[in-house]
Amino acid sequence: MQVRVLGSAAGGGFPQWNCNCRNCAGVRSGAVKATARTQSSIIVSGNGIDWALINASPDILAQIRATPALQPNRGTRDTGIAGVLLMDGQVDHSTGLYMLRERGRPLPLWCADPVYEDLTQGNPILKVLEHYCGVERHGIPLDDTPFAIDGVEGVRFSAIPLASKAAPYSPHREQSVDGDNMGLTLMAESGRRVFYAPGLGARDGRVDAMMRRADVVMVDGTFWTDDEMVALGFSKKTGRSIGHLPQSGPGGMLEWLDSLPPGTRKILIHINNTNPILDEDSPQRHVLTAHGVEVAVDGMAFEL
Ligand code: MLT
Ligand code: MN
Ligand code: ZN
């Protein structure tokens, strides 16, 4: 099983188009040692030819340009993307579907019911796509039952609901329902597992069990501190209140990752442009390194 990070930044990307924070200004000028990143998405394949796209970011066209494995090579119209799975209905994970509209056949799409509702109602991307390629939609069991994505051989998927947040245009933004967000396990034929959760708002026993059985965890790296956006004057909302557990402090992600079994590979992903861990020379980044925690970057790839 091969996994590749297409985009490792949170919504907005890094640098964000209108942001002049220390990181964004610093990566533009070169004053901060950091790498630009596109918005949140990964791909997974069992054979290196046919891939599942997990989340469709608005940067998908640039991501495909940077990823030869996804480019057409078997005919006049072709793609390495055999199917798409959406883990939530947020803008950064779904609007890339528009960019895939030139398909000749309906796009095979896996998403949970609340996400399907949001993307046919509050943000009716899937309705709009009916005027182009359309989608062939499949549901996702949320009880960790393994399922396959047609055409992606050698990978099994399973999902559990997560405490995080639905998109602002969802009727359950303030009262989450199961399926608004999910944690996804990717399982190789060898039985080795990756647990992927780019939007993870709170620690709970079930998610912990999924993380403990995984060989690699790729989890929410959005914010270092809960009040990161508030302190910078960019928002009135804390990280936790928008469904992202911060890394630092009591009960934070770093403490959680420290508690996982030795040998677990730990990777933070979906990193917001304000997060000091993007600066490779920052004390916060050094703390992660000391704890054996990696920071995903676009193009990062591994095989299990
Ligand atoms: C989130 O993860 O909270 C969203 O991506 C935010 C956004 O897309 O603006
Ligand atoms: Mn997001
Ligand atoms: Zn910024």
Side-chain angles (χ1 to χ4, degrees):
M1 180 172 80
Q2 298 177 41
V3 176
R4 190 173 184 92
V5 174
L6 295 188
S8 50
F14 175 54
Q16 180 175 304
W17 67 281
N18 64 344
C19 189
N20 212 12
C21 77
R22 181 183 177 277
N23 281 343
C24 289
V27 75
R28 285 189 199 101
S29 70
V32 167
K33 189 179 171 202
T35 303
R37 286 163 164 86
T38 62
Q39 293 168 82
S40 183
S41 179
I42 67 168
I43 52 174
V44 60
S45 175
N47 62 7
I49 298 168
D50 305 298
W51 299 79
L53 176 69
I54 320 264
N55 298 320
S57 103
D59 297 320
I60 183 69
L61 296 183
Q63 293 169 342
I64 292 171
R65 264 178 229 123
T67 312
L70 297 181
Q71 295 166 7
N73 58 33
R74 293 171 292 197
T76 50
R77 289 285 170 99
D78 180 43
T79 175
I81 300 172
V84 181
L85 185 154
L86 303 182
M87 299 180 67
D88 61 47
Q90 299 261 15
V91 165
D92 62 340
H93 284 166
S94 62
T95 51
L97 293 176
Y98 279 138
M99 266 46 88
L100 305 178
R101 68 191 177 285
E102 293 91 354
R103 281 181 61 96
R105 285 175 291 128
L107 178 69
L109 181 75
W110 277 257
C111 65
D113 290 344
V115 171
Y116 185 72
E117 280 162 31
D118 290 347
L119 297 184
T120 46
Q121 293 171 27
N123 182 12
I125 296 175
L126 302 182
K127 290 275 182 215
V128 176
L129 275 180
E130 281 174 15
H131 299 277
Y132 301 89
C133 59
V135 301
E136 174 200 301
R137 190 256 169 165
H138 305 259
I140 296 182
L142 293 169
D143 58 357
D144 197 37
T145 304
F147 62 96
I149 291 195
D150 306 331
V152 180
E153 307 305 324
V155 184
R156 304 284 283 167
F157 300 80
S158 69
I160 54 164
L162 285 187
S164 189
K165 280 277 164 144
Y169 38 82
S170 170
H172 13 93
R173 168 76 167 176
E174 297 311 328
Q175 271 165 333
S176 292
V177 299
D178 281 1
D180 279 336
N181 282 274
M182 64 177 67
L184 192 67
T185 296
L186 314 173
M187 192 165 70
E189 271 170 354
S190 63
R192 300 190 76 206
R193 291 178 169 100
V194 176
F195 180 75
Y196 178 50
L200 179 47
R203 189 167 175 172
D204 74 49
R206 192 161 187 212
V207 187
D208 191 54
M210 298 294 138
M211 289 189 17
R212 300 187 75 80
R213 73 177 189 188
D215 300 278
V216 181
V217 298
M218 301 179 85
V219 291
D220 194 325
T222 312
F223 300 119
W224 178 256
T225 43
D226 200 32
D227 70 345
E228 194 165 303
M229 297 289 276
V230 181
L232 288 166
F234 292 157
S235 173
K236 292 190 165 57
K237 294 178 179 159
T238 64
R240 280 186 171 88
S241 78
I242 59 164
H244 298 294
L245 182 67
Q247 283 107 59
S248 65
M253 185 65 83
L254 200 49
E255 207 178 270
W256 192 355
L257 294 176
D258 280 343
S259 74
L260 296 179
T264 310
R265 185 169 177 190
K266 305 161 195 175
I267 302 170
L268 293 173
I269 195 160
H270 188 279
I271 301 141
N272 198 58
N273 59 77
T274 51
N275 192 327
I277 64 174
L278 288 168
D279 175 353
E280 292 166 32
D281 291 331
S282 67
Q284 293 87 350
R285 181 63 167 267
H286 294 318
V287 169
L288 292 186
T289 306
H291 285 252
V293 176
E294 299 169 69
V295 179
V297 68
D298 298 9
M300 177 189 235
F302 56 88
E303 204 166 333
L304 284 183

